Amino acid sequence: MASKKKDRGAAEPTPQELIRYYREMLLIRRFEEKAGQLYGMGLINGFCHLYIGQEAVVVGMQAVAGAADSCITSYRDHGHMLVCGMDPKGVMAELTGRAGGYSRGKGGSMHMFSREKRFYGGHGIVGAQVPLGTGLGFAHKYSKDNGVAHVYCGDGAVNQGQVYEAFNMASLWKLPVVFVIENNKYAMGTSTIRHAAGQELYMRGAAYGIPGEPVNGMSVIAVREAAARALEHARSGQGPYILEMNTYRYRGHSMSDPAKYRSKEEVTKMREQHDPIDQLKEKLLADGLIDEAGLKEIDREVKVIVTEAAEFSQSSPEPDPSELWTDVLIEA
């Protein structure tokens, strides 16, 4: 589980923080691997988009998040939930459609939320979360709570018209928003080279005066450093900022995608040379911050958490039929 967020500056991460980043990324990886297994067993239905390979992005962003910050993303959302502090049991139970899930089994993979953890979804419509996240930025400014909205989207979403309407409003009103473009290179299955006129996605806000920068999204340390700059910019009243996280998903767009649009050699090369978890693991060992026994203990702890989440997701009851009539209208 992620620790409670605190306001942090851009100081160098401590050894304890680096170890926590490793644990958080490993939790996402193991959770997603288990979700993939449950999907293959027919225990998770519908769509299921795994975050395997992209763990450094959300972990690095949340590493320097403020206590009042909010988070909103698309349908590749399980990792964001976990790092925001949501209970793995509740997340996994929602995946299996059980009453113990965050949306009481009615939302599934793409639609779960936690107001307590300031996580606002999980959205299935491509790009729809960007204007909603801009609204979160407006709420932060209106309430003067010193919060910043972390608004995630993929490379496929940045060609949506509503994204640019949101950019314009965010810049015009100098809203505290950091737009995080998780560029995993293939959107739903089409390379950015084929679907994006202009490969420098961090420049997509230039027409609206929004600064941006590219980031090595496979390095949690690089993400953390860029996140600190972007969040300070937004939090200080200067308006929105764009971070293009150059990352890579190892699995298909969703569990139903065989990913035949890229070679196995390409995926293998990325895993062997750029894996975010392996890179941090090597640094921890090289700098003497932890030994192999310590790493094995973290892995054991994470496996216990994921196993318990999987067991809960199958033992929790299915929603009562009466739940069909709840959460339709707000009760006054």
Side-chain angles (χ1 to χ4, degrees):
M1 291 286 293
S3 61
K4 185 177 179 180
K5 293 185 289 186
K6 299 178 181 179
D7 290 306
R8 301 184 181 91
E12 289 293 317
T14 65
Q16 292 75 20
E17 286 175 326
L18 289 173
I19 292 172
R20 192 185 77 245
Y21 304 160
Y22 175 81
R23 186 178 186 276
E24 290 176 341
M25 290 195 293
L26 190 64
L27 174 60
I28 295 173
R29 179 71 58 89
R30 297 288 180 257
F31 183 96
E32 294 291 63
E33 289 171 346
K34 178 59 71 173
Q37 292 175 7
L38 296 180
Y39 187 94
M41 295 166 63
L43 297 174
I44 294 176
N45 296 301
F47 291 101
C48 186
H49 306 80
L50 303 182
Y51 201 60
I52 296 174
Q54 299 182 213
E55 297 91 349
V57 176
V58 71
V59 171
M61 286 295 303
Q62 287 299 116
V64 287
D69 289 3
S70 57
C71 179
I72 190 169
T73 187
S74 65
Y75 35 74
R76 199 178 307 281
D77 52 7
H78 313 151
H80 302 70
M81 299 172 193
L82 296 175
V83 182
C84 283
M86 291 169 67
D87 188 345
K89 291 180 180 178
V91 176
M92 194 71 85
E94 189 60 41
L95 295 182
T96 57
R98 302 304 178 100
Y102 269 95
S103 294
R104 297 198 291 277
K106 300 188 295 180
S109 175
M110 296 192 288
H111 302 99
M112 53 181 124
F113 312 80
S114 174
R115 293 180 65 181
E116 176 190 3
K117 300 299 182 181
R118 297 180 180 272
F119 180 81
Y120 294 93
H123 293 270
I125 303 300
V126 176
Q129 73 278 11
V130 179
L132 293 174
T134 301
L136 290 173
F138 181 84
H140 286 305
K141 184 170 183 174
Y142 186 81
S143 63
K144 299 180 181 178
D145 63 3
N146 200 40
V148 176
H150 301 213
V151 182
Y152 294 82
C153 69
D155 54 281
V158 295
N159 296 321
Q160 295 286 320
Q162 61 190 323
V163 171
Y164 297 95
E165 294 181 62
F167 283 177
N168 184 58
M169 294 175 70
S171 183
L172 190 65
W173 297 339
K174 291 191 179 301
L175 301 181
V177 180
V178 173
F179 297 104
V180 184
I181 302 172
E182 299 197 66
N183 183 1
N184 61 30
K185 309 296 185 292
Y186 287 99
M188 282 188 66
T190 304
S191 169
T192 53
I193 297 174
R194 297 177 57 207
H195 78 67
Q199 299 299 298
E200 297 171 322
L201 303 184
Y202 65 93
M203 296 181 65
R204 291 296 182 93
Y208 310 100
I210 304 177
E213 62 178 286
V215 185
N216 176 8
M218 303 299 278
S219 165
V220 69
I221 296 175
V223 172
R224 182 186 186 277
E225 292 174 351
R229 290 191 293 272
L231 289 169
E232 173 58 28
H233 177 94
R235 208 180 308 280
S236 63
Q238 299 179 69
Y241 202 96
I242 294 175
L243 294 174
E244 179 189 351
M245 301 292 181
N246 291 296
T247 184
Y248 197 85
R249 57 172 168 77
Y250 298 158
R251 302 292 184 90
H253 173 67
S254 69
M255 286 298 295
S256 61
D257 173 20
K260 293 182 179 180
Y261 40 80
R262 60 186 181 180
S263 68
K264 293 182 179 179
E265 290 75 18
E266 177 185 308
V267 179
T268 299
K269 182 179 179 180
M270 288 297 297
R271 295 194 75 138
E272 292 179 349
Q273 299 183 11
H274 303 285
D275 186 80
I277 298 175
D278 287 346
Q279 287 187 78
L280 184 54
K281 178 180 180 180
E282 291 172 5
K283 176 178 175 56
L284 292 173
L285 290 171
D287 292 351
L289 304 181
I290 198 170
D291 57 18
E292 289 287 354
L295 291 171
K296 289 180 180 179
E297 177 61 20
I298 291 174
D299 191 51
R300 187 195 67 78
E301 293 173 356
V302 166
K303 285 181 178 178
V304 169
I305 292 172
V306 172
T307 298
E308 291 178 349
E311 292 173 349
F312 178 77
S313 74
Q314 296 171 68
S315 61
S316 179
E318 294 186 355
D320 188 271
S322 63
E323 286 289 342
L324 285 170
W325 310 108
T326 63
D327 302 317
V328 178
L329 296 173
I330 296 177
E331 299 294 333

